[in-house]
C-alpha cells in the first residue's frame, strides 16, 4: 500500500490520461455521473456516490453494434485506449462483476455454453478499476444486506481517503502496473492501517440495521401470486427511473436505425417497467399489468438471478430509492417479504 | 391541519361516504412523502400533509391505475390546487365521473423541490428535517441549516395562481381565492428576450442530459394515452435512444399533447432523475394558450377545452398570408 498526498492527485491523474481514458465522478446532484475527465480538477471528490451509475461506461445507453451499407457490414473499432476508473464505490465495482456474469464469462450450469459479449468484454478486460472506500455511506445505502460493505476491497486497486492523502493498494497485476507508474510515493505503514480501521468502523456505524436476505429468494417465489404485489405496485407509476439508475439492471433492446439498406444496428437500455418491454408481435403482452412488471423487477433482482448465479442482483447502492418519484423503497419491499415490520 | 385531515377522512369512512382515500403518507427519506391508499378509518392516521407531499395524486385515477375508477369504488382524494385542476381536466375529458369522487382540498403554500435543498446543503445528504411556519430546518452529518420556505419551494409553486383547490367537496383550512398577482409567466418572459440561437442552445444543453426514462411522462396526470407515441413500434414514431433530436421530439411532442391540458403542477420536473428543467416549455405553452384562447386548464368543469372549441375572435396571426 502506498500513500499519495492529495496535492499530488492531479499528477496521478495526469500520469494516466495519456495511456488511459480516465473516468471519474463529475457533476452535482442528480446529474452526477462517471464521465471522461482530462484532469483532476474536473473530478468531484465530495460526492457520496454518483446518482447516475458507472454501468454506462461498459454498457452505454446506446451502443452501435455494426453499421451496414448495401451488404457491407462494419463493426466499430474498439476503443483505442484502455479505461481507467477512479473512485468507483465497492457496491458499483461489485455491480460490474454481477453484470459480467451475464455478459462476460457466463456459464450458468455445466451444460450451458459459455457466452461472451464482445462489446462488453473488450471494454472490461483491459479496464483498470480503482475502488474508493466509502467514508460516509448515505442513508439509502444497504450494501451490508447484499454481502458487501463500504470498505470491501474490489476492482484492481483499492483506495482510502484519509483526509490529506489517499492510501492505495493494488489487488491485481493490472492494478500493480498502475501503481508502479507513480513516482515518489511513500509506503503506508502501521499508522495508516490504524487510520483505515477507525474510518471503517465509523463508516459501518452509519449503516442501518442488518437484514439477512438468505430466505428472500424462496419467499418471493412462493408469494408469486400473493396480493402483496398489488399493494406494492399500487403507487409505482412504472417509469424507468429505478432501472436506468440501477448499476445492475442490464436489459436491452436492439433496433435498426437507418433507411433502405443503409444504417446502423444499435443496442440500447430497456427496462422491465415499460409496457413495450415484453409486448409480443401478436400484440399480446405476458406482463400486461403494471403489477406484473413491478414483480418482475424484484424477482429478477432477488430470485431469478440468484437461481442462476447464486447471489442477488442488487448491491444495495440505494440509487433506486433516491430517484423513485413515489418513494417506493426497495428495502421496504424486501422487509415485507421477510415479514419484518414494514408498511409499504 | 394534519389532525383535521385525519379526522375528516375518518368521518368519511365512518359515514360510508368513501371506499378508499388516496393521500400522502410518511416516506422513508426525510424529504419524501409517499402516496398511500387508505381503505378504512383506522388507517386515516397514516395520512400526512406538508411541503413534502409533492406528487400529483390524480395520476392514480388513469393510465395503469384506471382499474380503481373502473371498480366503481367511491374514492376520496386529497388535493393541492394543481391536483384538483387535474381532476377537473379528467371530468372535462370524460375520464372520471365527478360525482364518484370526494375531493378533499388542503391549503397549499407550495411543495419542496429537493434539488433546491441540495443546493443549499452543497450536496450534503439531508438526514433530518423540521418544518416550521416560515422556514425549514435541514440537518445532516455535521451541519444544520435553516432555510426560508420560499427558497426551496418548487418554481412551479412560486408562480402558481391557484394554490388552493378551485374545485373541492371538503376543504381543510380556509380556501383562499386565486392569486391574481402571481407572476405566472415570468420565466417565459425572460426566456423570450433571448436570441433564437441562445434559446436553441439552452434547450439542447438542458435536454441533452435526459436519459429517456419517461418518469416525467409517467407522473404527469395529463399524459394518459393508452399508448404513448414514443411506445408505438409499428410503425415506430421516434428513435428510442437518447439522441438529442429524438429526445427533443419526445419532449416537444409531449408539450404539445399537454397544451391547454397541463395544470402546471411540476410533478414532471420534480420526478426527473436527471434534473432537467421541464418548467420552461410547459409554461411557454401555457402562456400561449392563455394569451390566445384566454384559457387555463382545469379550472371549470363546464368550460370547453381550449383546443376543442373555436371562437371567431381568436387570434389568427399564426396563419401566414
Ligand atoms: S436495485 Fe436499487 S439498490 Fe439494488 S443495485 Fe439496483 S439501484 Fe442499487
Ligand atoms: S419503483 Fe419508482 S422509479 Fe421504479 S418504476 Fe416504480 S415509480 Fe418509477
Ligand atoms: S406536464 Fe408536468 S406540470 Fe404539466 S400537468 Fe404534466 S406533470 Fe404537471
Ligand atoms: S424524467 Fe427527466 S430523464 Fe426521464 S425522460 Fe423525463 S426529462 Fe428525461
Amino acid at each position: 500500500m502506498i500513500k499519495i498526498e492529495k496535492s499530488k492527485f492531479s499528477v496521478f491523474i495526469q500520469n494516466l490520461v495519456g495511456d488511459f481514458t480516465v473516468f471519474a465522478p463529475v457533476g452535482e446532484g442528480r446529474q452526477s455521473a462517471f464521465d471522461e475527465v482530462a484532469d483532476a480538477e474536473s473530478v468531484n471528490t465530495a460526492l457520496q456516490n454518483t446518482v447516475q451509475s458507472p454501468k454506462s461506461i461498459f454498457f452505454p445507453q446506446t451502443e452501435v453494434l455494426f453499421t451496414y451499407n448495401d451488404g457491407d457490414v462494419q463493426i466499430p473499432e474498439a476503443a483505442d485506449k484502455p479505461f481507467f476508473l477512479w473512485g468507483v464505490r465497492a457496491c458499483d465495482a461489485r455491480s460490474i462483476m454481477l453484470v459480467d456474469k451475464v455478459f462476460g464469462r457466463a456459464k450458468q450450469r455445466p451444460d450451458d455454453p459459455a457466452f461472451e459479449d464482445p462489446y462488453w468484454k473488450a471494454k472490461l478486460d483491459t479496464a483498470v478499476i480503482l475502488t474508493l472506500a466509502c467514508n460516509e455511506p448515505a442513508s439509502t445505502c444497504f450494501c451490508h444486506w447484499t454481502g458487501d460493505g463500504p470498505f470491501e476491497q474490489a476492482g484492481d486497486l483499492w483506495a482510502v481517503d484519509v483526509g490529506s492523502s489517499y492510501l492505495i493498494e493494488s489487488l491485481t497485476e493490472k492494478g500493480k502496473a498502475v501503481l508502479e507508474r507513480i513516482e515518489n510515493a511513500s509506503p503506508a505503514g502501521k499508522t495508516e492501517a490504524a487510520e483505515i480501521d477507525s474510518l471503517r468502523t465509523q463508516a459501518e456505524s452509519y449503516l442501518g440495521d442488518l437484514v439477512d436476505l438468505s430466505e428472500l429468494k424462496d419467499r418471493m417465489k412462493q408469494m408469486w401470486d400473493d396480493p402483496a404485489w398489488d399493494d406494492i405496485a399500487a403507487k409505482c407509476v412504472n417509469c424507468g427511473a429505478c432501472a436506468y439508475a440501477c448499476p445492475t439492471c442490464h436489459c436491452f433492446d436492439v433496433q435498426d436505425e437507418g433507411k433502405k439498406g443503409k444504417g446502423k444496428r444499435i443496442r440500447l437500455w430497456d427496462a422491465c417497467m415499460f409496457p413495450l418491454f415484453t409486448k409480443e408481435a401478436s400484440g399480446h403482452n405476458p406482463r400486461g399489468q403494471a403489477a406484473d412488471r413491478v414483480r418482475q423487477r424484484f424477482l429478477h433482482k432477488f430470485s431469478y438471478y440468484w437461481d442462476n448465479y447464486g447471489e442477488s442482483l442488487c448491491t444495495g447502492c440505494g440509487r433506486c430509492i433516491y430517484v423513485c418519484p413515489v418513494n417506493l423503497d426497495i428495502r421496504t419491499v424486501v422487509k415485507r417479504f421477510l415479514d419484518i415490520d414494514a408498511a409499504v | 391541519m394534519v389532525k383535521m385531515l385525519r379526522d375528516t377522512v375518518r368521518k368519511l369512512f365512518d359515514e360510508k361516504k368513501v371506499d378508499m382515500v388516496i393521500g400522502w403518507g410518511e416516506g422513508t427519506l426525510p424529504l419524501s412523502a409517499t402516496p398511500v391508499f387508505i381503505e378504512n378509518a383506522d388507517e386515516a392516521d397514516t395520512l400526512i400533509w406538508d411541503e413534502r407531499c409533492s406528487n400529483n395524486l390524480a395520476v392514480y385515477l388513469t393510465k395503469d391505475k384506471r382499474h380503481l375508477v373502473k371498480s366503481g369504488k367511491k374514492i376520496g382524494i386529497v388535493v393541492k390546487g394543481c391536483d384538483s385542476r387535474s381532476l377537473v381536466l379528467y371530468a372535462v375529458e370524460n375520464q372520471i365521473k365527478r360525482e364518484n369522487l370526494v375531493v378533499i382540498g388542503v391549503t397549499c403554500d407550495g411543495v419542496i423541490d429537493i434539488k433546491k435543498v441540495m443546493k443549499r446543503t452543497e450536496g450534503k445528504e439531508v438526514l433530518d428535517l423540521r418544518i416550521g411556519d416560515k422556514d425549514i430546518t435541514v440537518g445532516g452529518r455535521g451541519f444544520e441549516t435553516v432555510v426560508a420556505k420560499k427558497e426551496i419551494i418548487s418554481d412551479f409553486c412560486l408562480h402558481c395562481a391557484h394554490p388552493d383547490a378551485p374545485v373541492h367537496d371538503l376543504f381543510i383550512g380556509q380556501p383562499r381565492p386565486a392569486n391574481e398577482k402571481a407572476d405566472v409567466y415570468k420565466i417565459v418572459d425572460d426566456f423570450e428576450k433571448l436570441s433564437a440561437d441562445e434559446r436553441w442552445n439552452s434547450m439542447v444543453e438542458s435536454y441533452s442530459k435526459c436519459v429517456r426514462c419517461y418518469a416525467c411522462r409517467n407522473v404527469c396526470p395529463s399524459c394518459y394515452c393508452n399508448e404513448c407515441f414514443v411506445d408505438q413500434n409499428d410503425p415506430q414514431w421516434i428513435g428510442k435512444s437518447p439522441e438529442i433530436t429524438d429526445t427533443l421530439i419526445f419532449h416537444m411532442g409531449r408539450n404539445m399533447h399537454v397544451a391547454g391540458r397541463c395544470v402546471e403542477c411540476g410533478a414532471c420536473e420534480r420526478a426527473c432523475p436527471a434534473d432537467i428543467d421541464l418548467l420552461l416549455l410547459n409554461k411557454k405553452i401555457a402562456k400561449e394558450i392563455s394569451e390566445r384562447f384566454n384559457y387555463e386548464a382545469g379550472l371549470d368543469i363546464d368550460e370547453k377545452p381550449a383546443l376543442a372549441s373555436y371562437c371567431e375572435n381568436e387570434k389568427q396571426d399564426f396563419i401566414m398570408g
Side-chain angles (χ1 to χ4, degrees):
Chain A
M1 179 171 277
I2 59 152
K3 179 171 177 167
I4 310 183
E5 301 289 326
K6 281 197 182 162
S7 56
K8 302 263 174 57
F9 178 53
S10 58
V11 183
F12 176 79
I13 296 290
Q14 223 52 59
N15 175 299
L16 295 169
V17 164
D19 298 328
F20 292 90
T21 304
V22 179
F23 292 89
V26 298
E28 309 272 341
R30 293 180 181 182
Q31 291 189 345
S32 56
F34 275 80
D35 210 345
E36 201 181 323
V37 294
D39 49 45
E41 284 66 49
S42 347
V43 183
N44 185 346
T45 50
L47 290 169
Q48 279 172 310
N49 201 356
T50 55
V51 173
Q52 312 295 332
S53 90
K55 79 173 165 189
S56 54
I57 298 172
F58 302 107
F59 175 46
Q61 185 163 6
T62 313
E63 183 162 31
V64 178
L65 301 179
F66 56 81
T67 55
Y68 51 89
N69 190 356
D70 273 340
D72 174 32
V73 175
Q74 297 284 343
I75 295 176
E77 304 226 342
D80 55 343
K81 287 194 257 180
F83 295 169
F84 180 87
L85 277 61
W86 164 271
V88 173
R89 299 297 182 185
C91 55
D92 288 343
R94 178 146 176 261
S95 75
I96 296 168
M97 293 308 131
L98 292 176
V99 180
D100 190 48
K101 291 191 177 187
V102 181
F103 285 162
R105 290 136 250 270
K107 200 169 176 58
Q108 306 181 12
R109 288 171 292 274
D111 54 331
D112 257 355
F115 170 77
E116 281 177 356
D117 180 284
Y119 301 91
W120 166 270
K121 221 172 128 49
K123 292 189 246 355
L124 185 60
D125 278 359
T126 54
V128 180
I129 299 176
L130 179 144
T131 309
L132 183 61
C134 268
N135 290 353
E136 278 209 43
S139 69
T140 43
C141 294
F142 59 106
C143 55
H144 55 320
W145 297 14
T146 59
D148 220 323
F151 273 61
E152 207 68 19
Q153 296 191 326
D156 302 294
L157 293 156
W158 181 67
V160 185
D161 177 345
V162 289
S164 58
S165 49
Y166 291 111
L167 307 177
I168 310 183
E169 186 176 342
S170 62
L171 306 173
T172 64
E173 285 301 319
K174 274 196 284 182
K176 206 165 140 221
V178 166
L179 273 204
E180 278 164 4
R181 302 164 62 112
I182 298 167
E183 292 158 19
N184 309 327
S186 46
K190 279 213 178 92
T191 354
E192 283 82 10
E195 257 178 300
I196 294 180
D197 276 342
S198 87
L199 284 170
R200 179 202 311 265
T201 312
Q202 187 179 40
E204 283 168 359
S205 76
Y206 292 145
L207 296 168
D209 291 342
L210 178 65
V211 170
D212 175 5
L213 300 189
S214 52
E215 305 271 301
L216 189 59
K217 164 170 96 82
D218 296 328
R219 280 294 183 88
M220 277 201 174
K221 248 191 277 174
Q222 283 153 10
M223 293 173 73
W224 196 82
D225 49 7
D226 196 279
W229 289 112
D230 293 323
D231 286 358
I232 293 164
K235 67 174 100 166
C236 172
V237 295
N238 280 90
C239 61
C242 51
Y244 278 11
C246 177
T248 66
C249 277
H250 54 269
C251 287
F252 59 83
D253 186 10
V254 174
Q255 299 234 332
D256 280 1
E257 281 186 355
K259 290 197 255 329
K260 256 196 182 165
K262 185 173 187 297
K264 56 188 179 186
R265 179 156 301 173
I266 55 172
R267 157 160 86 185
L268 47 135
W269 292 357
D270 205 342
C272 55
M273 288 297 180
F274 297 145
L276 204 59
F277 186 71
T278 43
K279 191 168 170 196
E280 296 167 1
S282 66
H284 172 67
N285 192 342
R287 289 189 211 123
Q289 300 302 313
D292 302 338
R293 303 198 281 277
V294 173
R295 177 175 60 199
Q296 165 63 25
R297 181 168 144 78
F298 291 110
L299 279 170
H300 188 198
K301 295 272 167 236
F302 296 113
S303 228
Y304 306 146
Y305 184 93
W306 208 320
D307 280 343
N308 289 335
Y309 302 105
E311 55 191 322
S312 83
L313 183 63
C314 169
T315 63
C317 76
R319 285 188 179 85
C320 55
I321 306 169
Y322 183 71
V323 299
C324 176
V326 300
N327 185 238
L328 204 174
D329 190 323
I330 189 168
R331 293 169 299 185
T332 322
V333 176
V334 164
K335 284 185 179 167
R336 173 155 180 169
F337 281 96
L338 293 173
D339 281 333
I340 300 169
D341 181 47
V344 176
Chain B
M1 277 276 276
V2 175
K3 185 174 180 306
M4 266 172 79
L5 172 65
R6 291 174 181 173
D7 290 345
T8 308
V9 168
R10 208 174 291 117
K11 201 159 153 240
L12 284 173
F13 278 109
D14 288 343
E15 292 172 355
K16 301 212 173 347
K17 289 196 174 134
V18 290
D19 302 308
M20 174 187 271
V21 170
I22 309 176
W24 298 274
E26 206 56 67
T28 60
L29 304 178
L31 291 169
S32 330
T34 190
V36 291
F37 304 83
I38 287 177
E39 288 177 285
N40 58 57
D42 294 340
E43 290 171 357
D45 283 339
T46 60
L47 286 172
I48 62 164
W49 162 245
D50 57 42
E51 283 76 0
R52 293 170 298 165
C53 301
S54 75
N55 298 95
N56 185 330
L57 300 177
V59 85
Y60 293 111
L61 302 177
T62 53
K63 308 198 230 202
D64 284 331
K65 315 292 176 189
R66 228 176 269 273
H67 53 89
L68 271 186
V69 166
K70 282 204 186 134
S71 68
K73 278 187 184 152
K74 190 99 174 147
I75 297 172
I77 179 163
V78 189
V79 292
K80 307 183 282 290
C82 47
D83 311 345
S84 86
R85 290 173 63 188
S86 294
L87 301 180
V88 171
L89 179 88
Y90 287 169
V92 169
E93 295 179 347
N94 294 322
Q95 298 303 308
I96 53 163
K97 289 206 177 74
R98 173 69 183 86
E99 59 277 17
N100 284 348
L101 286 186
V102 178
V103 181
I104 310 161
V106 281
T107 322
C108 179
D109 291 322
V111 294
I112 294 176
D113 181 342
I114 296 181
K115 63 176 180 281
K116 287 193 180 179
V117 179
M118 295 308 278
K119 276 221 178 84
R120 287 301 300 256
T121 65
E122 291 169 355
K124 290 207 196 78
E125 193 186 16
V126 174
L127 299 173
D128 189 38
L129 174 94
R130 264 168 295 138
I131 302 178
D133 273 349
K134 287 258 176 311
D135 40 48
I136 290 179
T137 312
V138 288
R141 264 169 228 143
F143 75 94
E144 188 167 275
T145 327
V146 183
V147 207
K149 276 188 190 171
K150 61 175 191 305
E151 285 177 47
I152 51 166
I153 289 301
S154 162
D155 282 336
F156 279 80
C157 306
L158 288 177
H159 302 284
C160 172
H162 311 278
D164 290 352
V167 171
H168 57 256
D169 298 307
L170 300 161
F171 201 90
I172 313 296
Q174 201 57 43
R176 297 156 297 183
N179 179 3
E180 303 292 349
K181 287 206 289 289
D183 205 349
V184 189
Y185 303 120
K186 174 158 181 349
I187 7 174
V188 185
D189 299 339
D190 293 346
F191 188 68
E192 284 170 349
K193 289 189 194 117
L194 301 176
S195 72
D197 278 350
E198 286 170 326
R199 295 200 302 265
W200 176 250
N201 292 340
S202 98
M203 289 276 116
V204 169
E205 196 195 322
S206 163
Y207 286 100
S208 63
K209 297 268 184 211
C210 169
V211 297
R212 295 276 289 281
C213 66
Y214 304 130
C216 52
R217 174 197 67 182
N218 286 28
V219 298
C220 172
S222 305
C223 264
Y224 62 75
C225 288
N226 279 342
E227 193 174 29
C228 176
F229 72 102
V230 303
D231 286 337
Q232 265 160 9
N233 62 349
D234 190 19
Q236 183 161 317
W237 284 46
I238 69 170
K240 286 180 79 184
S241 54
E243 296 261 350
I244 187 68
T245 7
D246 289 316
T247 298
L248 282 175
I249 290 174
F250 159 56
H251 284 287
M252 291 180 180
R254 197 174 100 74
N255 282 125
M256 293 313 288
H257 290 183
V258 297
R261 307 176 55 247
C262 168
V263 298
E264 296 157 74
C265 62
C268 50
E269 189 174 274
R270 291 188 297 274
C272 175
D275 270 357
I276 315 289
D277 171 2
L278 298 173
L279 172 73
L280 187 65
L281 274 188
N282 282 325
K283 285 279 185 187
K284 166 74 181 155
I285 307 277
K287 182 182 167 189
E288 295 291 326
I289 297 281
S290 150
E291 286 177 355
R292 286 175 188 279
F293 308 111
N294 189 24
Y295 181 83
E296 268 185 278
L299 293 182
D300 182 354
I301 291 188
D302 299 317
E303 193 179 2
K304 276 241 156 61
L307 300 188
S309 57
Y310 176 70
C311 287
E312 272 179 15
N313 57 3
E314 273 165 13
K315 277 194 188 170
Q316 307 284 352
D317 57 355
F318 61 92
I319 302 172
M320 308 258 195

